[in-house]
Amino acid sequence: MYPDLHTHSLYSDGSETTRYLLTTAVAKGLSHLALTDHDCISGVRELWQHLPEAHDSASTPLLTVLAGVEISCDWNGLEIHVVGLLETPEAPALQTLLGEQQQRRVERMAAIDSKLAAAGITGLGSALAALPATALTRSHAADFLVAQGHCKNKEKAFKSYLAKRGKAYVAAAWCSLSEAVKAIESAGGIAVLAHPSRYPLTRRKLAALLSDFKLAGGEAMEVSYANLDPNAKKRLLELAAEFDLMHSCGSDFHTAQASWTALGKFPKLEPSAIKNAIWQHPKWHLIEQAGRHVTEASLAKYPD
Ligand code: AMP
Ligand code: MN
Ligand code: MN
Ligand code: MN
């Protein structure tokens, strides 16, 4: 098992196509790829349109693709991300929530556009309108600021404009943790707390988050991802045991330009922890069956 269960495409703030994701995942020898764009499943719909249903292909697949999503949530004023691995991505309750989240994103970008205009920077609205993305993100605004020569790079764009103390910062009104988990459950999914060490939380506060996540119905957490240092990883494994959360892993891939978050680039789950691996979850095989198979034939036909 070598699954990458956290990736993005150009339907949210990734820069690559679903075709790139498939061909790269096959080239790297991944067993499973979950596409988990921010608050949208447009990329999953595209994959589903062009790949045969898993039970239709007789030969062993090169790769199994799983439906997923990454939902931005508010937890005590802090933005927390919950990944959902989904059996029925079109479930109405999930789609309602994702529609609301996309609308919040549209409104937030309009407010950021106004703040930028007040600072003398115009054109964000039309730049965003030209994008293929279904879920607009601050990452797109950062790209715009860099492309227009207002900032040297994305980090600076966040620091000067888009992050909390930036000139064009606008807080988002995300859904709650339990709304996200319930919507994922309605889609037969497993809710996974994304990149737990990346939140600005003390150990005690992180434990409080995991406790609330578990109470909300969360079932797993990421314990292996890019740039996770061994001490932080050890702490996460202890917390996963304390809160009885299964282990997930993923690169959080966004772009081919960033080699440190390349597809499949994270330590595999240790053999001693495999009994807690997310693929041991009772729902896993249903999610896998509802997924799509990639074969030589389907890859050859897959559009650019
Ligand atoms: P949003 O969901 O609109 O708040 O956008 C957040 C996205 O922007 C994240 O998913 C990251 O991909 C990206 N991001 C957040 N902070 C930074 C940063 N400091 N530098 C570069 N990208 C960032
Ligand atoms: Mn992102
Ligand atoms: Mn995230
Ligand atoms: Mn992500």
Side-chain angles (χ1 to χ4, degrees):
M1 288 289 275
Y2 181 26
D4 190 334
L5 302 176
H6 186 156
T7 66
H8 297 274
S9 75
L10 45 69
Y11 289 105
S12 68
D13 59 351
S15 53
E16 312 305 335
T17 60
T18 54
R19 184 186 166 81
Y20 173 94
L21 290 167
L22 292 181
T23 52
T24 310
V26 168
K28 300 221 166 167
L30 294 177
S31 61
H32 299 73
L33 171 80
L35 178 60
T36 58
D37 271 318
H38 296 286
D39 297 311
C40 79
I41 62 149
S42 306
V44 170
R45 284 183 181 145
E46 183 173 84
L47 288 160
W48 265 219
Q49 192 187 337
H50 298 291
L51 295 172
E53 288 189 27
H55 56 77
D56 275 0
S57 60
S59 55
T60 317
L62 295 170
L63 172 76
T64 301
V65 184
L66 307 179
V69 70
E70 181 175 18
I71 303 178
S72 297
C73 308
D74 177 83
W75 181 72
N76 298 333
L78 188 68
E79 182 177 313
I80 299 296
H81 290 179
V82 175
V83 161
L85 301 177
L86 311 167
E87 183 190 4
T88 52
E90 300 290 352
L94 176 65
Q95 286 310 314
T96 301
L97 180 79
L98 298 184
E100 289 164 3
Q101 292 278 101
Q102 285 160 26
Q103 185 55 30
R104 288 173 183 135
R105 289 181 171 281
V106 168
E107 287 161 13
R108 186 190 198 191
M109 297 319 285
I112 290 174
D113 192 12
S114 302
K115 286 202 170 180
L116 286 176
I121 298 173
T122 56
L124 176 64
S126 46
L128 294 178
L131 294 173
T134 306
L136 300 175
T137 73
R138 286 181 297 161
S139 185
H140 297 117
D143 287 338
F144 163 79
L145 289 167
V146 175
Q148 294 298 309
H150 299 293
C151 305
K152 258 211 190 108
N153 55 46
K154 282 178 87 164
E155 281 305 321
K156 292 217 164 91
F158 271 90
K159 198 163 189 281
S160 308
Y161 292 97
L162 303 165
K164 216 154 204 165
R165 275 186 275 280
K167 279 184 266 206
Y169 175 71
V170 176
W174 303 126
C175 66
S176 70
L177 215 49
S178 73
E179 284 173 305
V181 173
K182 283 201 182 77
I184 291 165
E185 280 174 354
S186 80
I190 306 172
V192 183
L193 188 77
H195 42 66
S197 67
R198 289 207 205 130
Y199 308 118
L201 292 170
T202 59
R203 194 192 163 107
R204 259 184 54 178
K205 283 265 171 66
L206 180 56
L209 166 64
L210 290 168
S211 170
D212 284 357
F213 179 65
K214 178 79 184 176
L215 275 173
E219 299 185 287
M221 61 187 259
E222 291 178 354
V223 299
S224 179
Y225 40 92
N227 303 322
L228 178 60
D229 76 65
N231 283 332
K233 181 168 184 170
K234 188 166 164 280
R235 227 172 31 242
L236 291 186
L237 289 169
E238 288 163 7
L239 286 164
E242 184 177 345
F243 293 99
D244 189 26
L245 291 162
M246 298 188 90
H247 301 174
S248 191
C249 54
S251 59
D252 203 1
F253 172 85
H254 280 78
T255 170
Q257 308 303 317
S259 57
W260 53 95
T261 51
L263 215 61
K265 194 164 178 182
F266 51 86
K268 286 190 185 182
L269 301 186
E270 278 95 36
S272 60
I274 292 300
K275 68 178 192 317
N276 297 311
I278 193 162
W279 56 84
Q280 306 291 353
H281 193 290
K283 286 185 212 163
W284 174 270
H285 82 278
L286 297 171
I287 293 166
E288 197 176 36
Q289 273 171 16
R292 288 294 188 270
H293 278 181
V294 179
T295 58
E296 297 282 4
S298 60
L299 206 51
K301 279 192 291 195
Y302 199 89
D304 285 333

